[in-house]
Amino acid sequence: MSEPNSLFARIHLSKERFETFLAAPPKPPVLDANWTNWWNTRKMYSPHPLSENDLYAYNAASNKAILDGWLENKNTGTFYDYDETGQTLNLGLIFFSENYGEMIPMLSFILSLAEYKENNPDDFCIVFPFFWGDEDLSVYITFEGNTARLDAELESVAQLDPAKLKYAEDYLQRKAAEIFPQD
């Protein structure tokens, strides 16, 4: 049985733009070369061509409702912290998923943040086996300007920018200790 990967994202955006994003409805993903190229490079037990039927957004009234839904499930270790001083959103799901099909609506959610964010090369999203010691990288999203891209070439955490990986690991470790304190 597979263990769930962790998701972590760091996004720079103003408080006003973050609030606008939260109030907006989920943006449905569109089948394009980026989705297809990424999908075709992932290791799966039952691979199949990605189709429009595979792509979907969460069924919620707003992006805030999506985050609230994840927060309600205490087993996932979901968090989102907005730092007004640095205008930075740190978002994570400590126990997210190991299933690519199940990841799609959250990846769509993260990709849709691109149109609201500031242009900052330090922004990224990663889905990886944080707690399980595996080197496989499920997802890496890069941001450039107001666009986001699923990186189809990166397959291992060893290929990541070490500073970004350390930031994600340190943040996830700190939040895991807060959310799941040891007795």
Side-chain angles (χ1 to χ4, degrees), residues 33-43 100 135-142 149-160:
N34 184 237
W35 275 105
T36 304
N37 291 339
W38 169 77
W39 182 266
N40 290 341
T41 62
R42 301 303 94 181
K43 297 173 190 164
Y100 288 110
E135 290 292 312
D136 287 345
L137 177 66
S138 295
V139 178
Y140 189 73
I141 297 175
T142 58
R149 183 177 73 80
L150 293 155
D151 191 310
E153 295 180 21
L154 298 179
E155 296 179 357
S156 169
V157 295
Q159 296 173 286
L160 297 175

Side-chain angles (χ1 to χ4, degrees), residues 64-134:
K64 180 159 184 358
I66 292 167
L67 288 177
D68 289 345
W70 277 102
L71 286 167
E72 286 176 17
N73 184 346
K74 301 296 183 199
N75 295 326
T76 63
T78 300
F79 63 88
Y80 70 96
D81 303 323
Y82 183 80
D83 170 29
E84 290 188 39
T85 304
Q87 296 190 335
T88 306
L89 170 66
N90 290 288
L91 171 108
L93 289 90
I94 295 169
F95 299 108
F96 176 44
S97 180
E98 76 286 351
N99 181 296
Y100 288 110
E102 291 174 1
M103 290 181 192
I104 286 175
M106 180 53 81
L107 299 180
S108 176
F109 173 89
I110 298 291
L111 291 166
S112 72
L113 271 162
E115 67 185 79
Y116 298 89
K117 67 176 276 335
E118 304 297 324
N119 186 13
N120 191 314
D122 291 332
D123 294 344
F124 68 99
C125 177
I126 181 174
V127 178
F128 68 119
F130 172 64
F131 277 106
W132 317 114
D134 190 349

